Amino acid sequence: MRDPNRVLIFDTTLRDGEQSPGATLNLAEKLEIARQLARLGVDIIEAGFAIASPGDFEAVSRIAQEVGQLDNPPIIASLARANKKDIDAAWGAVQWAKRPRIHTFLATSDIHLEHKLRISRSDCIEQVGEMVSYARSLCEDVEFSPEDAGRSDPAFLWEVLRVAVQAGATTLNIPDTVGYCTPQEYGKLIAGIVENVPGVKEGRVVVSVHCHDDLGLATANTLAGLLAGARQAEVTVNGIGERAGNTSLEEVVMALKTRSQFFGGLYTNIDTTQLVRTSKMVSSLTSIPVQPNKAIVGANAFAHEAGIHQDGMLKNPLTYEIMRPESVGWNSTNLVLGKHSGRHAFADRLRQMGYELSREELDRAFERFKALCDKKKVVSDADIEALITDQFEMLEDDLYRLDEIQVATGTGNTPVASVRLIDKEGEPHQDAAIGNGPVNAVCNCINRITGANAKLLEFHVHAVTEGIDAIANVTIRVEMIDAHGKRYVFSGRSADTDTLVASGKAYLAAVNKGLRRVKRVADTTA
Ligand code: KIV
Ligand code: ZN
């Protein structure tokens, strides 16, 4: 029997979150995040959209095989449109998990039915019945989402949901796909579903909330939905996702925990001390920075600047702090490693930070750590995080790797860069280019060598720690156009004690992703 106060956390960082522009993650990165999500205690991991590409299918399967096979593992779900091909792919990928789930969806708003799907309401009902029952014939755990539920006619929505339940759906997820609802409206929508769809009040079917943040209301809407009877929240770490993003996991979890009485004792299974670590990992691996004032996990979330506040805090932290920073995983003791630290201590530190590396990965990371120790006296967690995420970025199937960079720049001179890249066959390629700045010269040179038509959209550099020997962490976003004229955004990041080297490596990482995509498009159309 389910505890009526328990809220299930359905994490969709690897699916809806990965739909953020430029946030593409490789297999190793997705596995690392999935392992951390399991440690965090999420109930369901939506590992991807299996039909989307062979890479997505492989990632969902591997997560199902590894994380889905842990002791007491989270449910592993894959998204599928309401058609047999998608559902087969989803099942093919999640079937390896101890607790698999197929999550299928079809839009129900008139806007989507008329303009996107071009089907009638009765076609929609028929398709939902057939496809949910097909999914149920493969998997016992089926979730159905009426896309754009937030703008759907409630009476029609209830009808569709009743059919989904009759066909075997065990979770009904209600997306506010375009982030249009207000908390009052969304709460009312959920309450109407609880009241009018048989199975929900009896506890046979769980209602789930899924909100987008276009009006900055995603967390408020999610909490309103939970107050109205939903018992699953679909969220992403740091709130990443399409456009303005999804509901942020850490905000919902901490709101329920901090205001437990207000929410009538609703609670989750999340180990909140893992929140900051998870946030940092997702931010590093997706190259999406967390804004400093972000609730719970932003760098300033627990910083007190004003004198009056500091005075109050010293007298009693309760004056200005509603949560303890340690309760969400901010710890003041940041153990530093140095050149006398051994492999064991290094591996141990990585494990504590949530990274589980294979023997080969660890060998490589340790070698790079030692090289860094020659340049930096003390190596902090932030340095190690930069080093590890940089390593994940380097893929076996990268078309080029950076071998050498030289840049000449100065006042009154046009910056000129000379770059040597090594291709997959081990052949060197060298060229030189000018630019309106040293980084621009390096990027132009990489474009010349690779033939990429990449355009730099964003460039961020930040010093990982303080001091003259700090590592520079560079995050880059580039735009590339494929053979069909379709526009893509790719991100790249790198860390090095030399800012220009980090910039070149980050740019090349993004270009490599783009070249792989262009190649895939060419292969599938050949
Ligand atoms: O926002 C949305 O509608 C979705 C569904 C596919 C669940 O992400
Ligand atoms: Zn969504």
Side-chain angles (χ1 to χ4, degrees), residues 207-282:
V207 173
S208 165
V209 283
H210 179 119
C211 301
H212 281 266
D213 208 27
D214 299 68
L215 293 173
L217 294 171
T219 299
N221 285 348
T222 295
L223 294 169
L226 294 174
L227 277 173
R231 286 296 175 267
Q232 175 178 291
E234 300 207 351
V235 289
T236 61
V237 176
N238 300 335
I240 63 169
E242 283 272 357
R243 307 181 310 277
N246 287 58
T247 306
S248 137
L249 181 150
E250 54 280 1
E251 290 175 14
V252 171
V253 167
M254 288 315 290
L256 293 182
K257 189 169 173 177
T258 310
R259 302 298 312 275
S260 169
Q261 235 182 348
F262 177 83
F263 288 105
L266 294 184
Y267 70 97
T268 71
N269 188 41
I270 295 297
D271 173 358
T272 58
T273 62
Q274 294 283 334
L275 286 172
V276 168
R277 187 168 297 168
T278 314
S279 159
K280 285 189 174 171
M281 180 185 281
V282 169

Side-chain angles (χ1 to χ4, degrees), residues 364-382:
R364 201 155 146 218
F366 188 59
E367 210 177 288
R368 300 182 72 222
F369 164 72
K370 281 291 178 190
L372 181 62
C373 290
D374 284 338
K375 295 184 188 161
K376 281 196 92 200
K377 231 164 121 192
V378 288
V379 176
S380 69
D381 284 1

Side-chain angles (χ1 to χ4, degrees), residues 374-410:
D374 284 338
K375 295 184 188 161
K376 281 196 92 200
K377 231 164 121 192
V378 288
V379 176
S380 69
D381 284 1
D383 292 321
I384 296 176
E385 185 115 42
L387 191 128
I388 288 298
T389 50
D390 186 42
Q391 179 166 321
F392 277 122
E393 188 81 293
M394 299 174 194
L395 288 176
E396 294 300 312
D397 61 341
D398 271 351
L399 297 174
Y400 296 96
R401 73 180 167 77
L402 185 77
D403 189 43
E404 202 180 280
I405 279 190
Q406 279 184 34
V407 184
T409 186

Side-chain angles (χ1 to χ4, degrees), residues 86-114:
D86 276 40
I87 293 171
D88 286 339
W91 175 240
V94 295
Q95 61 173 319
W96 312 107
K98 284 187 188 163
R99 303 169 68 205
R101 173 179 293 187
I102 297 176
H103 175 195
T104 187
F105 72 99
L106 187 68
T108 47
S109 67
D110 288 334
I111 302 177
H112 278 232
L113 293 181
E114 277 169 33

Side-chain angles (χ1 to χ4, degrees), residues 149-473:
R151 291 188 299 171
S152 300
D153 166 11
F156 174 61
L157 191 59
W158 303 335
E159 213 179 323
V160 174
L161 295 176
R162 283 185 207 120
V163 169
V165 171
Q166 271 160 18
T170 42
T171 302
L172 299 174
N173 178 47
I174 312 302
D176 179 20
T177 305
V178 290
Y180 182 72
C181 294
T182 64
Q184 287 77 3
E185 282 169 338
Y186 192 69
K188 198 168 153 210
L189 183 69
I190 299 297
I193 291 165
V194 172
E195 202 51 46
N196 290 287
V197 180
V200 178
K201 278 207 266 187
E202 297 77 1
R204 280 187 288 114
V205 177
V206 172
V207 173
S208 165
V209 283
H210 179 119
C211 301
H212 281 266
D213 208 27
D214 299 68
L215 293 173
L217 294 171
T219 299
N221 285 348
T222 295
L223 294 169
L226 294 174
L227 277 173
R231 286 296 175 267
Q232 175 178 291
E234 300 207 351
V235 289
T236 61
V237 176
N238 300 335
I240 63 169
E242 283 272 357
R243 307 181 310 277
N246 287 58
T247 306
S248 137
L249 181 150
E250 54 280 1
E251 290 175 14
V252 171
V253 167
M254 288 315 290
L256 293 182
K257 189 169 173 177
T258 310
R259 302 298 312 275
S260 169
Q261 235 182 348
F262 177 83
F263 288 105
L266 294 184
Y267 70 97
T268 71
N269 188 41
I270 295 297
D271 173 358
T272 58
T273 62
Q274 294 283 334
L275 286 172
V276 168
R277 187 168 297 168
T278 314
S279 159
K280 285 189 174 171
M281 180 185 281
V282 169
S283 169
S284 304
L285 295 178
T286 56
S287 311
I288 301 179
V290 175
Q291 76 201 54
N293 58 323
K294 167 84 177 63
I296 321 292
V297 293
N300 294 346
F302 291 89
H304 300 272
E305 183 77 16
I308 297 174
H309 289 209
Q310 288 174 350
D311 180 52
M313 283 292 293
L314 289 172
K315 289 177 175 143
N316 185 342
L318 282 176
T319 49
Y320 286 103
E321 218 165 55
I322 59 163
M323 300 165 267
R324 294 298 304 148
E326 306 82 67
S327 71
V328 298
W330 285 110
N331 61 17
S332 42
T333 50
N334 187 352
L335 198 78
V336 290
L337 298 176
K339 70 174 177 194
H340 300 297
S341 309
R343 190 186 146 92
H344 189 72
F346 178 65
D348 205 50
R349 192 74 209 117
L350 280 178
R351 252 191 312 276
Q352 283 174 33
M353 290 169 67
Y355 290 97
E356 265 175 49
L357 304 191
S358 68
R359 180 182 283 270
E360 297 78 54
E361 285 168 341
L362 183 62
D363 286 345
R364 201 155 146 218
F366 188 59
E367 210 177 288
R368 300 182 72 222
F369 164 72
K370 281 291 178 190
L372 181 62
C373 290
D374 284 338
K375 295 184 188 161
K376 281 196 92 200
K377 231 164 121 192
V378 288
V379 176
S380 69
D381 284 1
D383 292 321
I384 296 176
E385 185 115 42
L387 191 128
I388 288 298
T389 50
D390 186 42
Q391 179 166 321
F392 277 122
E393 188 81 293
M394 299 174 194
L395 288 176
E396 294 300 312
D397 61 341
D398 271 351
L399 297 174
Y400 296 96
R401 73 180 167 77
L402 185 77
D403 189 43
E404 202 180 280
I405 279 190
Q406 279 184 34
V407 184
T409 186
T411 44
N413 292 336
T414 303
V416 52
S418 147
V419 173
R420 186 164 65 208
L421 304 182
I422 307 285
D423 69 18
K424 280 185 87 156
E425 279 70 45
E427 285 298 313
H429 302 260
Q430 189 145 11
D431 211 331
I434 55 167
N436 53 21
V439 173
N440 182 243
V442 170
C443 300
N444 289 344
C445 199
I446 291 175
N447 277 356
R448 279 174 72 97
I449 299 175
T450 60
N453 58 356
K455 192 171 132 211
L456 189 64
L457 296 179
E458 271 176 50
F459 174 83
H460 296 282
V461 58
H462 90 267
V464 172
T465 50
E466 287 165 8
I468 193 76
D469 57 356
I471 288 187
N473 207 337

